[in-house]
Amino acid sequence: KQTDNQLIIDAGQKQFGATTCRSCGMLYSTDSPEDNFQHTQFHQRFLDTIKFVGWKKERVVAEFWDGKIILVLPDDPKYATKKAEDVRRIADSELGFQQITLSSPSSAKTYLFVNSDRMVVGCLVAENIRQAFRVLEQQEKPKDMNKEDFMEHHRAWCCSTLPEKAICGVSRIWVFSLMRRKGIATRLLETVRTTFMYGSHLTKKEIAFSDPTPEGKLFATKYCET
Ligand code: ACO
Ligand code: ZN
């Protein structure tokens, strides 16, 4: 049964031809058979991947009213490391990473945010590092450069050449598109700071983001200031 409001919303979406699936978050055109097919392909696989059935042993490192954070270590049982890897793959494909390249897979710690609907809606991979290069102030985009060129360049020369001491490198941080701006990434990072190194609370400076995306940079800038 549809309400009047629903009809208006649907009509609005039809006009643009695009709709966002309310379960998997995929943006696609309902008018395009190809898009519909791709959505059907993606939808169930995605939901299966982020589904969290619960484990015999869960390393719960933080609990909130709307979910909990579980830490997965490389030597954990297969069901745990497999889930961590599958979710990381989703993040990677969204980040455009070609293959899974962890700088030190044996030390990588994966933090999963599981919400009250039993879905993994956030993922953070943290690794041991010794030094990092600070990201420098954003430069103005030269007029004759398109966005892609700029990003390429920017990634190449936005970092200082002076290494600084850091302890924890965040190589991936991802939050399910429909669950963003609810502080999930912030809470993942806070939890990393208190649990990454046994017995010590890391400062924000001791955590480094590797090769952040524009979205990641917006988040990191905000996070590091506050
Ligand atoms: N635009 C502007 N500001 C932002 C954005 C954004 N897209 N995302 C976060 N912020 C800032 C805001 O100030 C926000 O506070 P507010 O909501 O009160 O205004 C603050 O950061 C905290 O945001 P969170 O809610 O904690 O962040 P969220 O859970 O939405 O996750 C993330 C942010 C991880 C960047 C998410 O948008 C995402 O998964 N994006 C796609 C993947 C990606 O780009 N990941 C970063 C790659 S870099 C790396 O992995 C090292
Ligand atoms: Zn869907």
Side-chain angles (χ1 to χ4, degrees), residues 21 24 39 43:
C21 174
C24 75
H39 172 239
H43 186 93

Side-chain angles (χ1 to χ4, degrees), residues 3-14:
T3 66
D4 287 353
N5 269 340
Q6 186 61 50
L7 287 170
I8 292 164
I9 291 165
D10 284 350
Q13 283 170 342
K14 282 270 157 53

Side-chain angles (χ1 to χ4, degrees), residues 59-73:
R59 196 179 292 101
V60 179
V61 287
E63 278 186 286
F64 308 96
W65 66 275
D66 58 346
K68 60 185 171 188
I69 296 176
I70 291 174
L71 170 60
V72 179
L73 299 177

Side-chain angles (χ1 to χ4, degrees), residues 91 94-95 97 121-123 125 155 169-177 179-188 208-223 226:
E94 219 173 286
L95 292 168
F97 286 145
V121 294
C123 170
V125 179
R155 279 185 181 224
V170 172
S171 64
R172 311 276 193 290
I173 182 161
W174 168 87
V175 172
F176 177 30
S177 61
M179 298 286 162
R180 287 182 192 162
R181 306 304 286 270
K182 295 178 194 295
I184 291 177
T186 303
R187 286 181 277 171
L188 279 165
F209 292 82
S210 71
D211 203 13
T213 58
E215 234 170 6
K217 221 174 255 182
L218 284 168
F219 167 76
T221 311
K222 176 74 196 296
Y223 181 80
T226 50

